[in-house]
Amino acid sequence: MVDRRGASCRGGRVRRARRVPGPWHRLRVVENADASGAQTGSARFYRGGSRRKSPDAARLRKNGIRHNAPARRRCRRACHEVPVLTAARTSALGALFAPRRVAVVGASADPAKIGHRVVANILYGGYAGEVIPVNPRGGTILDRPVARSIRDVEPGVDMIVVTTPAGTVTSVARECVEARAKNLVVITSGFSEIGRRGEEASLVDIARAGGARVLGPNIFGLYSAPASLNATFGPARVPKGNIAIVSQSGAIGIAMIGKAASENLGLSAIVSVGNKADLTEADLLEHFRSDPTTRAVLLYIEGLRDGERFLSAAAKVAREKPIIVLKSGWSKRGAAAAASHTGSLAGENEVFDALTSQAGILRAETLSDAFRWCAFLSSAPEPREGDGAVIVTNGGGVGVMATDASERHGVRLIDDVAMMHERFDACVPEFGSVRNPVDLTGQAVAADYRHALAAAIDEPKISSVIALFCETAVVVVDELFEIIRESNERARGVKPIVYALFGGHAMEELAARLRHAGVPAYGEVYDAVAALGALVRHARHRETPARPKPPEIDTARIGKIVAKVRRERRTALLSHEAFEVMHAIGVGVPDSALAASLDDALAHARRIGYPVALKIVSRDILHKTDAGGVLLNLDDDRELVDGYETVMHRARRAKPGARIDGVLVTRMAKPGVEVIVGARRDSVYGPVVMFGIGGIYVEVMKDVAFRGLPVTRREAAEMIGEIRGYPLLLGVRGEKRKDIPRVIDTLLRVAALIEACPEVTDVEINPIMVYAEGEGVSSVDARILVAPREKSDEGKTS
Amino acid sequence: MTAVVAASLREGAGKTTVLLGLARAAGKSRYVKPLGDHLVYRMKRQWDQDAALMNHALGLGAEPESLTIGFEPSRIRYTHPGGVDEALDAMLMANGDAPLFIEAGRDLAAGASADLDAVSLVQKAGATLLLVLDEDDDRVLDAAAFVARVCAGKAARIGLVVNKVRDTADFRATIAPQIAKMGLALWGVIPHEPALQELCVATIADRLFAKVLAGEGALTHRVRNILVGAMSADAVLRSPVMKREDRLLITSGERDDMLLAALRTDCVGVIATNNTPPAPPVIARFVEADIPLLLARGDTFAVATQVHEIRPLLTENDDEKIEIAASLVAANIDAKAILDQFS
């Protein structure tokens, strides 16, 4: 029974009727839904509200397409048989990674076509759900009946893979939406990557209007291990495991499948995002966060569209699972190539590096590194409470190399001499060393290693172990294999251990055998330590404290200033306005006043006290220094009179007709270490803060560090410690240590400003004079830009 | 006291050049510029660039600050609340009774609110008015007629020198008779001299407030051709401008390809724009080659516009141009007619 609102109740379920667009418009679809409105089953078709067999069932049968009812039964059976499908559908993208029904539009009987390969991979990959090839020619493909149109398919397909030519994709998308598709996986290329942004935007608009999401276009497809679904045109066999790969490049993604197999690495998913018209890495990261199968995520990125969202999602995921990123397009030419490849901006490499690191993402430089890290991080326990790592070696040289590598990759080495003696004296000969690295010497036999590794694994003060083996005459390879496997088992779940085997063919083979057995064994010391370093960084990120409350700033006062600037159709605050904002955020600036005349300037200078600085204030002169509009260290009235005349004269010369608002008279700040603090809304990554050595050579020195927002006090301190000029703040040549806490405070306040005031786009305080500890800082000059006033803002008060 | 006040209707007509030639022809002479308009501020001292030039070229031996009362009328009014007469008298009377050449402000009205405009100076000094016009101003007859009308009775005598004339013979044949009909003396027609229109790299660096990253020893190089490098390096190398001599290249600081192309083709200087310093190895190459590499803050368009607007002034450091200017004036004006005013 259908009620007037188009819904009926039976057995506690609500049955909603709705009109179906397109050729089915005379039919009504009744969805089985629970009381909350969630769809729970498939749909049935009615004409005029009365229950009746679908009029097209016969036609579908005639065309070789199975009737809906068997399809539904198959689907239910599949869902019943594969409970993991339901479990994997917990996230918003559940239907993408665990679809119950998959259609391939553009399916082909020609084995050379992508449309054929996708169908074949799905069918032969073990997928248990319903597979519907779609091609206007009909017939069968791989013994499956082919629907002539997606309109002929029972609505509610979870995933539709589109492989038709670019020119047809938007019309296909329209039909898919009419068929209530939940996800479109658009393999077809020829969109924004070649400049056809309009068509790509239309595709997304059509899909979103129908409540569907789009993966792609310009991709190789998607593989989901929980669903045994290989909806790609890549290799037919994908090893199952717990690494999820997201690739912006189709070719690299396909190559990664092969590489994973050769590295004995199993995948929980591999997704090609291509042009990222709708679904991006951020959406996928959020899915993998809740996906129980995935233990580590590997991303290949060429460029980002919404870096801010990506970083936010990554920061959350990285607290639970390691994310390893391989980013290309960091060189100028590479960035240009990446932009033309996928139609997205690469962003500045330094900024990407800093911000991804802050989000807990581990950046690998090579594909090999990325795979090694994935394999290690997805299986190794995190370093337990302890004082650091120990290196166990039979060669002094490789021990030194491992020590160097540890410093480079942030692996702290334990330094407890007493403990080391107690633990290792028994297995180290007299001419060896029990200091870290523990040198068993070249005479070490298998038993020595067994004892030393057991001691290292059992010692609670040791957080991780780096075991190095140089090929010697006394080492028997088979024995070594057993010892390493044994020690790896002993360490499993207890503490991370990595192995580096150094030598000839026998050692290389041994390393390969060990890797095949799931042991983190490497042929290079640096590779072993780099993998451990990645794990240490991941663990450190997980311990990063939650963000404390940001410092309080006077947003109302800032809002008034910004509103006035925008009302006057300016995008840059004048010097005195910028100083007022500095007051509002609690950043100290020297005493100053705006003079409208020479008399005013003299009066202000006498009140403030000499020496003073003069700065031209003009809305038409953005760069005061370049117009000669700044004079420093004016010591008396005479110098002030000359200076005033000079800055006014120069300003008029530099920009005839410029509106001059006055001259800012500022107390000269006493000398200190000059630093720069800035913030901006990056077009790729969103709000970013910057710290570095300041002054007039800031662009030349380029000694700066970046972080994304929100930024914690600890991260601000790390930024300061990262720059090359950091020793200047620690005090050099007998100078006192500088007031670093106040610099951190200034950084956090500037971050709070750009976070709290969306109209503020750029802030740059340069220089900030930093004085001795306890004496604070003084912001000598500040430049603040705001977003231009839009026409839509007309009539608003701000 | 007899004096000549050089004035013009607009900036850049050539007052300093003409006075330089005249003063050289007069032998011992004096020079003042009561209202400065090319301010130089260094080490908390300020002076006029033209005054410094004349001080050097004429060997006056004065402090250049002493040749100017001020630059901005507001400041002059502030520092001389009772008027400038006393200061001006002292300036005009200083250094004996040698012929005095007074340079007025950038145009006829400049300094009027502080009584330092050209007409006030003529009246206070009882001087002859020497009006310098440049032929670029196609209203040269309008200008002459206007000056004759406005200054009639205020100057002991009014004479004209027309500067930067492309075709002096044609000018003398067509324009000069009409000037004579107005009752104005035409004391000289000076031809256009391209060498005087050239900038040197140092002037450009100075006016742009640019940082000199390399080639400080070669800042005196003259610039005769300017190329904005917005295309590919290959296209630049093919550009006909790159075949000309004494080229200055303006390009964005991150265009390493363009900067290296400039090195290969012996440019006299490069301006790296957008406040983006080139890569250190590129800067090192410029240092090795001793080619000026300037870092400017503005974008390429803004910097090119600024360079385009820089007036090629004579400077005290450019003796070669000083001699060219002095010779040019001496050869093309009736110095005797003018200097007779002093007899």
Side-chain angles (χ1 to χ4, degrees):
Chain A
M1 183 194 304
V2 177
D3 72 10
R4 285 183 181 179
R5 290 166 300 171
S8 63
C9 298
R10 186 191 294 168
R13 289 194 182 280
V14 180
R15 289 156 55 78
R16 285 198 183 125
R18 62 178 178 79
R19 294 190 72 81
V20 179
W24 295 96
H25 68 278
R26 284 170 299 168
L27 302 178
R28 302 172 77 196
V29 178
V30 177
E31 295 169 347
N32 290 328
D34 61 21
S36 67
Q39 188 182 331
T40 57
S42 56
R44 294 185 176 200
F45 297 93
Y46 296 83
R47 183 186 291 276
S50 60
R51 185 168 184 171
R52 188 182 294 183
K53 190 180 276 187
S54 164
D56 290 80
R59 184 171 61 80
L60 291 172
R61 269 200 305 277
K62 188 181 168 188
N63 289 336
I65 299 171
R66 290 183 193 178
H67 183 236
N68 291 328
R72 283 201 306 279
R73 278 199 298 276
R74 273 200 316 283
C75 183
R76 285 196 194 110
R77 191 167 60 242
C79 295
H80 181 71
E81 288 167 359
V82 192
V84 72
L85 286 184
T86 311
R89 289 171 72 101
T90 50
S91 84
L93 295 182
L96 184 66
F97 286 91
R100 295 190 178 106
R101 302 174 68 213
V102 176
V104 180
V105 178
S108 171
D110 181 352
K113 294 277 179 68
I114 285 175
H116 179 89
R117 191 65 187 264
V118 173
V119 175
N121 278 350
I122 295 173
L123 290 176
Y124 300 149
Y127 173 63
E130 184 184 2
V131 183
I132 310 159
V134 180
N135 189 305
R137 292 178 187 159
T140 61
I141 295 173
L142 299 170
D143 296 332
R144 293 277 164 152
V146 176
R148 288 185 185 276
S149 162
I150 199 69
R151 289 171 172 165
D152 296 339
V153 176
E154 184 181 359
V157 180
D158 289 322
M159 178 203 285
I160 298 181
V161 183
V162 181
T163 66
T164 57
T168 66
V169 169
T170 47
S171 60
V172 167
R174 210 166 278 118
E175 291 174 8
C176 292
V177 163
E178 287 168 6
R180 290 195 292 120
K182 294 187 179 72
N183 294 287
L184 304 184
V185 175
V186 184
I187 288 178
T188 311
S189 55
F191 289 88
S192 67
E193 81 277 13
I194 58 164
R196 296 178 65 213
R197 294 180 186 281
E199 288 83 346
E200 191 170 289
S202 300
L203 166 65
V204 175
D205 288 347
I206 292 164
R208 285 199 175 152
R213 303 300 303 268
V214 176
L215 182 66
N218 187 25
I219 60 174
F220 68 86
L222 167 149
Y223 165 78
S224 168
S228 298
L229 172 67
N230 182 0
T232 73
F233 60 88
R237 294 194 58 194
V238 183
K240 283 191 179 184
N242 49 29
I243 312 291
I245 296 179
V246 179
S247 174
Q248 193 172 356
S249 160
I252 288 181
I254 291 171
M256 279 175 161
I257 297 175
K259 177 84 174 167
S262 72
E263 292 280 329
N264 196 30
L265 205 63
L267 305 181
S268 61
I270 180 157
V271 191
S272 166
V273 288
N275 295 0
K276 298 186 272 193
D278 179 20
L279 289 171
T280 66
E281 291 93 346
D283 299 291
L284 298 166
L285 281 173
E286 280 162 9
H287 168 78
F288 292 130
R289 184 186 181 194
S290 59
D291 174 25
T293 318
T294 299
R295 293 184 64 180
V297 184
L298 168 57
L299 304 171
Y300 170 76
I301 293 175
E302 290 178 354
L304 289 170
R305 287 239 167 108
D306 185 354
E308 190 177 356
R309 187 167 161 248
F310 167 74
L311 292 169
S312 167
K316 285 178 199 151
V317 177
R319 285 187 174 275
E320 296 174 22
K321 300 175 181 181
I323 304 172
I324 290 108
V325 69
L326 192 64
K327 183 178 183 295
S328 59
W330 51 266
S331 63
K332 281 180 197 169
R333 280 176 184 262
S340 62
H341 186 192
T342 58
S344 54
L345 294 170
E348 287 176 41
N349 192 51
E350 295 82 0
V351 180
F352 180 87
D353 232 6
L355 270 56
T356 50
S357 168
Q358 182 189 7
I361 296 172
L362 305 164
R363 187 172 182 184
E365 285 191 8
T366 67
L367 196 55
S368 299
D369 270 351
F371 272 97
R372 274 195 293 267
W373 295 3
C374 278
F376 183 57
L377 270 70
S378 63
S379 60
E382 286 183 9
R384 61 158 62 168
E385 289 294 321
D387 297 335
V390 70
I391 300 167
V392 177
T393 179
N394 64 345
V398 287
V400 175
M401 286 168 69
T403 307
D404 289 346
S406 298
E407 190 168 314
R408 170 180 285 186
H409 294 288
V411 177
R412 189 152 56 93
L413 297 178
I414 194 164
D415 215 12
D416 186 338
V417 178
M419 180 277 290
M420 299 286 277
H421 273 291
E422 191 182 320
R423 277 288 176 184
F424 297 106
D425 270 349
C427 50
V428 176
E430 281 185 11
F431 50 90
S433 169
V434 292
R435 289 175 179 275
N436 206 358
V438 176
D439 188 356
L440 304 176
T441 77
Q443 292 187 4
V445 292
D448 298 325
Y449 262 114
R450 179 175 283 120
H451 293 143
L453 292 178
I457 293 164
D458 293 345
E459 171 55 53
K461 287 184 177 174
I462 294 173
S463 53
S464 54
V465 184
I466 301 165
L468 312 176
F469 304 86
C470 288
E471 189 171 14
T472 66
V474 295
V475 171
V476 180
V477 168
D478 284 341
E479 277 184 356
L480 206 51
F481 179 83
E482 281 309 316
I483 288 163
I484 290 174
R485 213 167 53 86
E486 190 183 294
S487 63
N488 192 55
E489 280 304 311
R490 193 182 190 113
R492 187 180 298 277
V494 178
K495 66 180 64 171
I497 182 166
V498 288
Y499 306 88
L501 295 100
F502 204 66
H505 190 59
M507 294 300 260
E508 283 171 10
E509 272 193 351
L510 175 60
R513 274 175 65 202
L514 285 164
R515 276 200 300 278
H516 199 72
V519 177
Y522 309 94
E524 287 281 345
V525 172
Y526 275 86
D527 292 343
V529 180
L532 182 61
L535 182 67
V536 167
R537 291 201 299 281
H538 172 59
R540 204 175 290 149
H541 175 74
R542 285 165 59 102
E543 291 166 6
T544 306
R547 186 196 183 201
K549 197 177 160 197
E552 283 191 7
I553 60 173
D554 189 347
T555 49
R557 188 173 168 192
I558 298 165
K560 280 183 188 168
I561 299 165
V562 170
K564 175 175 175 283
V565 172
R566 297 182 84 213
R567 262 201 313 277
E568 292 175 2
R569 300 202 168 280
R570 287 188 279 135
T571 53
L573 271 66
L574 300 175
S575 293
H576 62 293
E577 293 167 336
F579 270 20
E580 202 178 332
V581 170
M582 292 295 106
H583 279 300
I585 65 171
V587 170
V589 291
D591 192 3
S592 62
L594 184 68
S597 67
L598 182 54
D599 287 322
D600 271 2
L602 278 163
H604 291 323
R606 287 167 187 158
R607 180 187 61 76
I608 290 167
Y610 289 104
V612 296
L614 295 182
K615 297 174 189 173
I616 196 76
V617 178
S618 167
R619 59 199 64 202
D620 299 318
I621 300 173
L622 191 56
H623 301 298
K624 306 180 284 288
T625 311
D626 295 351
V630 178
L631 291 182
L632 306 177
N633 280 314
L634 303 176
D635 287 323
D636 52 36
D637 283 1
R638 190 194 66 77
E639 289 183 9
L640 184 114
V641 169
D642 281 357
Y644 185 90
E645 179 179 45
T646 300
V647 293
M648 293 293 280
H649 185 86
R650 284 175 169 178
R652 289 191 179 121
R653 277 268 169 197
K655 191 125 189 185
R659 175 174 168 180
I660 293 172
D661 297 83
V663 174
L664 193 69
V665 184
T666 309
R667 182 173 180 76
M668 278 301 298
K670 62 180 181 178
V673 174
E674 295 187 10
V675 299
I676 179 172
V677 169
R680 72 163 195 254
R681 287 182 197 284
D682 189 276
S683 59
V684 177
Y685 304 113
V688 176
V689 287
M690 176 193 69
F691 171 79
I693 287 297
I696 58 172
Y697 294 110
V698 65
E699 293 86 3
V700 179
M701 300 304 291
K702 289 183 178 167
D703 188 12
V704 290
F706 297 92
R707 289 292 185 282
L709 297 189
V711 64
T712 64
R713 196 166 186 86
R714 176 173 148 179
E715 286 164 344
E718 283 172 358
M719 285 174 80
I720 294 167
E722 268 173 30
I723 62 165
R724 297 190 303 277
Y726 179 53
L728 296 174
L729 293 169
L730 295 176
V732 289
R733 294 177 181 271
E735 286 181 2
K736 286 182 183 171
R737 183 187 170 94
K738 305 301 177 218
D739 204 337
I740 295 172
R742 286 299 300 276
V743 179
I744 294 172
D745 190 56
T746 305
L747 253 168
L748 295 176
R749 287 178 181 281
V750 170
L753 166 64
I754 201 138
E755 198 172 10
C757 304
E759 297 91 351
V760 175
T761 59
D762 294 78
V763 182
E764 186 180 297
I765 315 176
N766 181 30
I768 297 177
M769 298 293 182
V770 187
Y771 304 120
E773 198 157 25
E775 293 178 19
V777 300
S778 182
S779 303
V780 174
D781 199 7
R783 183 165 164 254
I784 299 175
L785 303 181
V786 296
R789 190 176 160 92
E790 304 287 339
K791 283 197 171 172
S792 56
D793 294 334
E794 299 289 346
K796 292 183 186 173
T797 52
S798 62
Chain B
M1 179 186 68
T2 309
V4 170
V5 173
S8 64
L9 292 183
R10 68 178 191 188
E11 191 176 14
K15 297 186 293 290
T16 311
T17 305
V18 171
L19 285 185
L20 172 66
L22 266 177
R24 280 280 184 88
K28 187 171 169 56
S29 55
R30 294 179 295 149
Y31 168 90
V32 293
K33 187 173 182 183
L35 180 69
D37 56 8
H38 296 122
L39 191 153
V40 179
Y41 183 91
R42 281 188 196 129
M43 307 295 285
K44 297 186 180 180
R45 291 171 58 198
Q46 55 178 189
W47 62 86
D48 185 86
Q49 184 176 313
D50 298 335
L53 162 77
M54 296 298 271
N55 190 39
H56 167 76
L58 302 179
L60 300 179
E63 292 293 335
E65 298 101 304
S66 67
L67 303 178
T68 300
I69 293 176
F71 296 81
E72 291 287 309
S74 60
R75 180 255 166 92
I76 295 169
R77 288 195 302 275
Y78 179 85
T79 48
H80 299 86
V84 294
D85 287 355
E86 195 177 328
L88 187 61
D89 284 347
M91 184 177 271
L92 300 182
M93 300 300 290
N95 301 321
D97 55 359
L100 175 63
F101 296 97
I102 304 170
E103 187 168 343
R106 69 176 69 92
D107 54 44
L108 275 187
S113 66
D115 297 331
L116 289 178
D117 59 291
V119 174
S120 299
L121 291 173
V122 164
Q123 289 181 309
K124 283 176 186 165
T128 293
L129 176 63
L130 171 62
L131 188 68
V132 182
L133 302 174
D134 56 349
E135 201 217 9
D136 282 350
D137 186 348
D138 59 2
R139 294 174 299 174
V140 70
L141 288 175
D142 284 350
F146 172 76
V147 170
R149 198 166 301 147
V150 168
C151 301
K154 292 174 180 160
R157 199 169 174 204
I158 302 174
L160 259 56
V161 171
V162 185
N163 192 17
K164 303 177 196 170
V165 178
R166 301 273 173 179
D167 186 342
T168 51
D170 180 65
F171 187 92
R172 287 190 182 283
T174 57
I175 307 292
Q178 296 181 63
I179 292 173
K181 279 186 194 167
M182 293 176 196
L184 293 170
L186 182 61
W187 285 333
V189 179
I190 302 172
H192 172 76
E193 172 52 58
L196 294 179
Q197 304 308 311
E198 291 164 3
L199 292 168
C200 74
V201 182
T203 303
I204 294 171
D206 199 40
R207 295 296 293 273
L208 295 179
F209 293 96
K211 288 172 195 161
V212 181
L213 301 179
E216 285 200 57
L219 289 174
T220 52
H221 282 173
R222 297 266 186 82
V223 175
R224 292 193 170 88
N225 294 286
I226 296 173
L227 180 68
V228 175
M231 61 291 263
S232 71
D234 285 344
V236 161
L237 290 172
R238 288 198 304 270
S239 167
V241 180
M242 291 304 271
K243 309 259 185 303
R244 296 179 196 158
E245 57 182 2
D246 301 331
R247 296 170 311 277
L248 175 82
L249 178 70
I250 303 172
T251 191
S252 184
E254 84 260 356
R255 291 291 304 272
D256 292 347
D257 56 340
M258 198 66 73
L259 296 165
L260 294 173
L263 274 172
R264 277 176 57 191
T265 53
D266 296 329
C267 284
V268 292
V270 173
I271 306 176
T273 61
N274 293 313
N275 209 20
T276 307
V282 176
I283 297 176
R285 296 275 302 275
F286 274 84
V287 172
E288 280 169 25
D290 199 23
I291 293 178
L293 176 60
L294 314 179
L295 179 65
R297 185 182 284 265
D299 59 45
T300 304
F301 172 77
V303 170
T305 306
Q306 275 179 283
V307 172
H308 178 72
E309 288 172 352
I310 295 174
R311 291 184 183 281
L313 299 173
L314 285 175
T315 64
E316 62 194 290
N317 302 320
D318 199 342
D319 287 329
E320 189 184 339
K321 269 170 88 170
I322 290 172
E323 293 310 318
I324 291 171
S327 309
L328 187 71
V329 174
N332 292 283
I333 63 168
D334 187 356
K336 185 173 180 302
I338 303 169
L339 296 175
D340 277 349
Q341 310 302 313
F342 299 113
S343 57

